[in-house]
Amino acid sequence: MSKLRFGAGIWHFATYVDRYATDGYGEPRNVIEAIDLAGKVRDLSVVDINYPFFGGEFSNAQIKTALERNKLGVIGITPEIYTREFRKGAFTNPDPGIRQRAHELITEAAGVVRDFGAEYVKLWPGQDGWDYPFQVDHGALWKNSLDGVGRLASENPDLKFVIEYKPREPRVHMSFDSLARTLLGIEKIGLPNVGILLDFGHAIFGGESAADSAQMAIDYGRLFGMDVNDNYRSWDDDLVAGSLHPIELFEFFHVLRKNKWDGVWQLDQFPFREDSVATADHAIDFLKAVDRGLEALDLKALRKAQEDHDAITALRIAQKALFGAF
C-alpha cells in the first residue's frame, strides 16, 4: 500500500443546524472538543480548521495543545468569509469596507497558517456571486473576485491560497462555480501560489467528471488540494465518500495516481445524524480499499482499452480492481 495521509475538515466533528432543525442535531461543540473527537479516528493525521475558531475564544497555543494531544497536524486554515457579515459577498461585496474586512480576516488566517506550519489558506467565498438577473454587473463582480484573491497572494508570496469552487449554495450562482471558470480566473491572476482545491462532490454536483477536472487542474499545475465526499448530484449532500459513486471516485484517484499527485486524501463530510468518528473511520476504510484497488489495476490492459475507447473492457478492469479490493 502506498504511503497515504488522511485528513478531515474539523467541521466533520462539529454539530449542525439547518433551516428545519434550528435547534441543531446535537449539543454544540467547540473546536477543542471537535479536535478531541478527530483524535479518535483511526489513521487521521491532519485537519482543516475554520478561522476564527468556533465555540469560544481560543488562542493558537490552546489549539496546538489539543492537536498535539491528539497527534494531529493542520493541513489548512479556512477563514469564515461566508457568514452573516459577508452575506452580500466577501471579495464581491458592494461595500468596499466589507471587502477590506474580508481581506483583513484572510490575512489573519494567513498568520495562523504560518504559526501552525499548515500547507495553505483555503478560500471558499460561498457568498460571492448573485441570485437574480440584473442584480450585478458581471464584469465588475468578476474583477473584484480576481483582485481580492490576487492581492492576498501577492502580499503573501510564501503561502499557497487554494480556491474551492462550487456551483451554488449559499448564493444561487457562485463566482467561482466550476473548474473551468476558476482555472481561467487563476490564470488571469497569474501568480504561482494560487491554486484549486478540488472537492469531488462539488465537481459532480456541477455536472463535471471529477477525474477530468483533476487532470485539467494538474495539467495547469494548479491542483493544490482535494476533498472527497459524495452526493446525489442534485445538491451538495456531503455524504460519505464512495457511498453513491464509487467508480467515479476510483477514476478520480486513478488520475491522481497516474500523475503522481501525492497530497492528503481529505474528507469533507457532514454527518448530521451519524456518529462522526464512525463515519470518518468508514470513509477512510473505503479509501484504503481504493488504494488497494489502484495497486491491483491492470494498467497495461486499461491503457489499451482507453486507446480503443472500449468502455466495457475499461469498466470491467476498473470494477474488478476496486471491488476485488474489499
Side-chain angles (χ1 to χ4, degrees), residues 12-321:
H12 185 290
F13 306 97
T15 54
Y16 311 101
V17 300
D18 61 24
R19 61 185 179 140
Y20 300 103
T22 56
D23 55 344
Y25 284 86
E27 293 300 317
R29 296 186 188 121
N30 63 41
V31 65
I32 301 294
E33 293 167 333
I35 291 170
D36 285 336
L37 269 182
K40 296 180 180 181
V41 177
R42 300 189 308 270
D43 302 305
L44 196 70
S45 51
V46 294
V47 289
D48 181 335
I49 299 180
N50 311 82
Y51 182 83
F53 308 125
F54 61 85
E57 296 291 330
F58 300 102
S59 66
N60 288 3
Q62 288 173 302
I63 301 297
K64 285 181 181 178
T65 297
L67 292 165
E68 290 166 2
R69 178 169 67 243
N70 290 284
K71 298 181 174 57
L72 292 170
V74 179
I75 184 172
I77 298 294
T78 300
E80 294 193 336
I81 54 173
Y82 40 80
T83 56
R84 181 170 62 183
E85 180 179 11
F86 303 106
R87 62 190 180 275
K88 286 191 174 182
F91 299 126
T92 65
N93 198 290
D95 183 341
I98 299 296
R99 296 200 297 271
Q100 178 61 25
R101 168 64 185 141
H103 179 83
E104 291 167 357
L105 178 60
I106 299 167
T107 300
E108 289 176 23
V112 178
V113 168
R114 292 188 184 94
D115 195 23
F116 287 176
E119 294 186 19
Y120 50 68
V121 180
K122 187 176 79 179
L123 302 176
W124 184 67
Q127 300 285 7
D128 282 12
W130 70 98
D131 305 308
Y132 291 94
F134 286 95
Q135 184 176 4
V136 300
D137 178 321
H138 293 288
L141 195 85
W142 188 232
K143 182 177 186 302
N144 282 340
S145 289
L146 303 189
D147 287 351
V149 175
R151 179 184 171 194
L152 287 159
S154 63
E155 290 176 359
N156 301 274
D158 58 314
L159 296 182
K160 290 181 178 179
F161 290 83
V162 301
I163 301 171
E164 181 178 4
Y165 69 87
K166 181 178 176 179
R168 59 189 179 276
E169 192 208 14
R171 291 315 285 256
V172 175
H173 295 276
M174 284 178 57
S175 292
F176 292 108
D177 68 351
S178 62
L179 182 283
R181 185 176 173 90
T182 305
L183 193 56
L184 279 170
I186 290 171
E187 292 303 301
K188 179 72 172 178
I189 291 168
L191 296 172
N193 58 328
V194 183
I196 287 173
L197 186 139
L198 202 165
D199 182 297
F200 176 85
H202 293 179
I204 66 170
F205 173 32
E208 299 175 6
S209 157
D212 176 60
S213 296
Q215 185 64 64
M216 185 173 290
I218 289 169
D219 287 345
Y220 281 83
R222 298 294 187 177
L223 187 61
F224 289 4
M226 60 91 157
D227 288 338
V228 291
N229 45 50
D230 216 330
N231 62 60
Y232 284 95
R233 273 194 158 88
S234 59
W235 197 250
D236 184 31
D237 303 305
D238 283 322
L239 301 177
V240 177
S243 55
L244 298 173
H245 299 96
I247 286 293
E248 287 178 87
L249 191 64
F250 190 45
E251 185 188 23
F252 172 69
F253 281 111
H254 166 63
V255 167
L256 299 182
R257 174 75 65 87
K258 178 183 177 182
N259 288 276
K260 298 180 171 57
W261 191 90
D262 61 355
V264 170
W265 291 21
Q266 180 94 352
L267 304 177
D268 182 7
Q269 305 174 153
F270 277 65
F272 278 78
R273 300 166 183 84
E274 292 71 38
D275 178 273
S276 58
V277 173
T279 301
D281 280 334
H282 180 73
I284 289 173
D285 286 344
F286 174 77
L287 295 181
K288 288 179 178 178
V290 166
D291 191 56
R292 292 192 297 270
L294 292 173
E295 292 291 336
L297 201 56
D298 186 338
L299 295 176
K300 183 178 179 181
L302 179 62
R303 191 176 306 113
K304 175 64 168 62
Q306 290 181 335
E307 287 172 355
D308 295 338
H309 292 198
D310 184 345
I312 301 306
T313 299
L315 274 174
R316 184 179 297 117
I317 292 165
Q319 288 169 339
K320 179 181 178 181

